[in-house]
C-alpha cells in the first residue's frame, strides 16, 4: 500500500511541477524577450521616464508595452507580480526529489559501487548538504566583487557547475547525479527570484508609494535583478534537459569509452547555453547563425563520442554450430542436441532475469517500493525479452538497470543478458 500511495504522490507532484514549470519558464522567456526587444521610445515617452517600448499583436488585438527606467509617475492601482510560478516550481521539485529519490533511496539515489553511505539517511543528508552547499557558494559569489563583473562571474559559475556535475556523479547514482545538477540550477534560479529579483521590485514599489526618487542603492538592486533574471534565462534549457533525462539512460550511463555521464551533461550544458545565446542575440536584433551552427556541430560530436561499443555475439556451443548431414541419423541427433542446448541457454539466462530483473519487472513486483513494473515493462519470459529488446539491451549494457544495481547483477550476468537479448 505504501508504494501505491507513493505512486499517487509522484503523479500529483510531477503534474503540478510540470504545470508550474511551464508557467515560470514561459514568463521568463517572455520577459527576457520583452526586455531585449524594447525600442527607443519617442521623446514624449522618454520625458515621462519610459526607457523603451514596443508594439505587439496577439489574440486579435494590439498591445502597446512600455518599460520605465525606474519608477512611473504614480503607483498603478493593480500591479501584477511574477514570483509564485518560481516558488511553486521549486517547492514541487523538492517534493519530487523527496518522493522519488529519498523515499526509495536504495533504488534511485544510491549506487553502492560509488559510495557506501551506510544508510539511506546518510545518503539523504549528503544530498541535502550537497544542494545547500552548492547554493551557498553561488550566493557568496554573486554578492561578491566577482558578481559585478559579468565575464568573470560567468566564467566562475561555469567552472563551479562543472565541478558540481563531476561531484554529483561521484556521490550518487548516475540518474540521481543528473537530477542533483538540475536541482542546483533550479535552486539558484528560485534563489535569484527570492533573494535578488523580488527585493529589487519591492524597493522600487516602496519608493513609488512614498513618492520618493529611487536612490543609487535601489538602482543597483534593479540592475542586479536584471542580471539575475538573465542568468535564469541561460540556465533554463540545461534545467529542462535534466528534468527529462531520467527517460534516457544512454545520457547519464553512456556505454562509451570516450565519455562518462558527467561529461555528457557538461556537453549538453554548453550546447544549450550557446543555443539560448543565439535567441537572446536575435531578440536584440543581431542575427548570428554561428550560435546555432556551433551547437549543431557539438551535438554531432557528442553523438559520435557516445556511440555504443559493439555487442559481443552470444557464445555458440560446438554442438549448436554443427550442421546435420542430410539423411543422417547423426544429423538428427545433433539437431536434437542443439535444440536441447539452446533451451538450456534460455533457462540459464531467464534464471538471471528472474533473479535480477523480475523482482521489479513483474506483473506483481516483489521489490519494496514498487507497486507496478517500471514503465509497464514485464520481463518474465523470453517473449517479454524480445518484445522489449531495444530497451533491455540499452538499460542493461549501460548499467542503468537494475536501478542502483539493487539486485547485485554481476558484470558476467550483464554481458550474458545483453548477448542473449541481442540475438533474439
Amino acid at each position: 500500500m505504501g508504494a501505491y500511495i507513493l505512486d499517487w504522490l509522484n503523479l500529483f507532484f510531477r503534474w503540478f511541477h510540470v504545470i508550474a514549470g511551464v508557467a515560470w519558464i514561459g514568463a521568463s522567456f517572455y520577459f527576457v524577450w520583452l526586455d531585449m526587444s524594447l525600442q527607443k521610445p519617442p521623446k514624449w515617452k522618454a520625458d515621462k521616464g519610459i526607457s523603451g517600448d514596443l508594439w505587439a499583436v496577439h489574440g486579435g488585438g494590439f498591445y502597446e508595452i512600455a518599460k520605465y527606467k525606474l519608477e512611473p509617475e504614480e503607483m498603478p492601482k493593480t500591479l501584477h507580480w511574477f514570483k509564485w510560478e518560481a516558488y511553486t516550481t521549486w517547492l514541487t521539485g523538492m517534493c519530487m526529489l523527496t518522493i522519488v529519490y529519498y523515499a526509495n533511496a536504495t533504488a534511485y539515489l544510491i549506487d553502492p559501487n560509488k559510495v557506501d553511505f551506510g544508510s539511506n539517511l546518510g545518503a539523504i543528508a549528503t544530498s541535502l548538504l550537497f544542494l545547500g552547499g552548492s547554493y551557498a557558494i553561488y550566493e557568496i559569489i554573486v554578492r561578491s566583487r566577482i558578481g559585478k563583473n559579468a565575464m568573470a562571474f560567468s566564467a566562475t559559475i561555469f567552472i563551479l557547475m562543472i565541478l558540481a556535475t563531476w561531484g554529483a556523479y561521484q556521490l550518487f547514482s548516475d540518474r540521481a547525479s543528473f537530477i542533483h545538477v538540475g536541482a542546483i540550477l533550479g535552486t539558484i534560479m528560485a534563489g535569484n527570484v527570492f533573494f535578488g529579483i523580488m527585493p529589487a521590485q519591492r524597493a522600487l514599489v516602496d519608493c513609488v508609494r512614498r513618492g520618493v526618487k529611487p536612490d543609487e542603492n535601489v538602482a543597483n538592486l534593479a540592475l542586479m535583478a536584471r542580471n539575475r533574471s538573465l542568468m535564469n534565462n541561460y540556465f533554463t534549457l540545461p534545467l529542462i534537459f535534466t528534468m527529462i533525462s531520467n527517460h534516457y539512460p544512454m545520457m547519464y550511463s553512456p556505454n562509451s569509452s570516450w565519455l562518462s555521464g558527467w561529461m555528457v551533461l557538461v556537453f549538453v550544458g554548453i550546447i544549450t547555453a550557446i543555443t539560448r545565446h543565439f535567441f537572446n542575440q536575435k531578440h536584440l536584433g543581431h542575427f548570428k547563425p554561428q550560435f546555432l551552427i556551433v551547437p549543431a556541430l557539438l551535438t554531432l560530436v557528442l553523438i559520435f563520442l557516445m556511440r555504443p561499443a559493439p555487442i559481443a555475439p552470444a557464445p555458440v556451443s560446438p554442438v549448436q554450430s554443427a550442421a546435420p548431414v542430410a539423411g543422417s541419423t547423426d544429423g538428427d541427433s545433433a539437431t536434437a542436441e542443439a535444440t536441447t542446448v539452446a533451451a538450456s541457454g534460455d533457462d540459464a539466462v531467464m534464471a538471471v532475469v528472474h533473479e535480477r530483473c523480475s523482482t521489479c519487472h513483474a506483473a506483481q513486483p516483489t521489490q519494496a517500493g514498487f507497486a507496478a513494473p517500471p514503465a509497464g515493462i514485464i520481463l518474465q519470459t523470453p517473449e517479454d525479452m524480445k518484445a522489449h529488446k531495444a530497451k533491455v539491451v540499452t538499460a542493461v549494457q549501460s548499467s542503468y538497470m537494475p536501478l542502483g544495481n539493487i539486485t547485485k547483477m554481476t558484470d558476467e550476468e550483464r554481458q550474458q543478458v545483453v548477448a542473449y537479448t541481442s540475438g533474439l
Side-chain angles (χ1 to χ4, degrees):
M1 182 59 73
Y4 176 69
I5 297 300
L6 276 179
D7 275 352
W8 270 105
L9 290 173
N10 188 337
L11 172 61
F12 173 77
F13 282 105
R14 188 180 299 273
W15 186 36
F16 200 176
H17 183 58
V18 170
I19 292 172
V22 168
W24 183 18
I25 292 168
S28 173
F29 278 5
Y30 174 72
F31 277 104
V32 169
W33 169 83
L34 184 63
D35 202 44
M36 292 183 170
S37 300
L38 293 170
Q39 303 294 316
K40 184 178 179 180
K43 186 176 183 306
W44 69 270
K45 285 188 176 181
D47 291 343
K48 296 174 61 176
I50 293 175
S51 62
D53 70 349
L54 66 79
W55 286 82
V57 61
H58 182 74
F62 289 93
Y63 294 81
E64 181 184 10
I65 303 166
K67 179 182 178 181
Y68 285 81
K69 185 175 182 180
L70 282 177
E71 81 283 4
E73 302 95 320
E74 61 181 39
M75 188 67 190
K77 293 180 179 179
T78 302
L79 186 62
H80 298 282
W81 297 73
F82 294 84
K83 57 181 180 178
W84 284 109
E85 297 90 342
Y87 301 160
T88 304
T89 302
W90 185 82
L91 289 170
T92 53
M94 290 304 296
C95 287
M96 284 295 301
L97 187 66
T98 301
I99 293 166
V100 177
Y101 292 90
Y102 293 169
N104 205 359
T106 303
Y108 291 106
L109 180 64
I110 300 172
D111 184 343
N113 295 321
K114 293 183 178 181
V115 177
D116 181 9
F117 289 103
S119 67
N120 288 358
L121 188 60
I124 295 168
T126 302
S127 170
L128 292 172
L129 184 62
F130 183 77
L131 296 176
S134 298
Y135 179 73
I137 292 171
Y138 167 82
E139 198 63 37
I140 290 171
I141 293 173
V142 78
R143 293 172 183 267
S144 70
R145 294 179 63 182
I146 295 176
K148 295 178 174 62
N149 184 308
M151 186 63 70
F153 178 67
S154 299
T156 302
I157 295 303
F158 175 70
I159 293 171
L160 289 176
M161 284 308 305
I162 291 177
L163 292 175
T165 302
W166 175 84
Y169 205 77
Q170 308 313 307
L171 290 171
F172 310 111
S173 73
D174 295 349
R175 168 174 166 168
S177 69
F178 271 41
I179 291 298
H180 275 73
V181 174
I184 291 173
L185 293 176
T187 301
I188 288 175
M189 291 172 68
N192 279 336
V193 174
F194 188 82
F195 292 109
I197 296 172
M198 291 310 300
Q201 291 180 351
R202 282 192 289 266
L204 272 175
V205 170
D206 182 63
C207 287
V208 175
R209 282 177 175 163
R210 293 187 295 112
V212 177
K213 188 75 174 176
D215 57 19
E216 184 178 353
N217 182 55
V218 175
N220 288 335
L221 284 175
L223 178 60
M224 182 178 289
R226 184 181 183 279
N227 291 339
R228 287 188 185 241
S229 179
L230 186 60
M231 190 178 310
N232 281 2
N233 180 255
Y234 279 100
F235 281 170
T236 301
L237 295 184
L239 174 61
I240 294 174
F241 173 81
T242 61
M243 288 174 62
I244 66 171
S245 65
N246 64 311
H247 298 288
Y248 302 95
M250 70 172 183
M251 302 303 291
Y252 50 81
S253 297
N255 180 34
S256 168
S257 57
W258 296 91
L259 297 175
S260 62
W262 73 269
M263 295 177 185
V264 172
L265 186 52
V266 170
F267 243 101
V268 172
I270 294 171
I271 290 168
T272 52
I274 297 175
T275 302
R276 189 62 229 164
H277 187 64
F278 166 81
F279 287 101
N280 288 340
Q281 290 296 306
K282 186 173 180 291
H283 299 333
L284 291 170
H286 310 311
F287 181 72
K288 297 185 177 181
Q290 64 267 31
F291 292 124
L292 279 185
I293 295 172
V294 170
L297 293 176
L298 288 176
T299 301
L300 293 176
V301 171
L302 181 61
I303 293 171
F304 176 77
L305 293 178
M306 285 178 60
R307 68 193 188 281
I311 298 173
V316 180
S317 71
V319 177
Q320 284 177 284
S321 59
V325 179
S328 169
T329 56
D330 290 341
D332 294 338
S333 174
T335 300
E337 187 174 352
T339 302
T340 302
V341 171
S344 64
D346 282 357
D347 292 341
V349 173
M350 291 312 300
V352 173
V353 172
H354 290 155
E355 183 177 1
R356 309 301 188 193
C357 309
S358 298
T359 54
C360 298
H361 291 280
Q364 295 293 330
T366 56
Q367 179 65 47
F370 292 87
I377 296 175
I378 295 175
L379 302 175
Q380 293 183 299
T381 67
E383 289 72 24
D384 294 335
M385 300 293 287
K386 185 175 182 179
H388 301 291
K389 174 179 176 179
K391 292 182 178 179
V392 170
V393 170
T394 300
V396 176
Q397 189 178 41
S398 66
S399 299
Y400 168 57
M401 287 292 180
L403 288 170
N405 203 18
I406 193 172
T407 57
K408 296 181 171 51
M409 176 181 276
T410 66
D411 290 339
E412 292 75 14
E413 290 171 336
R414 197 175 297 280
Q415 294 170 5
Q416 186 181 10
V417 171
V418 168
Y420 170 80
T421 310
S422 300
L424 291 175

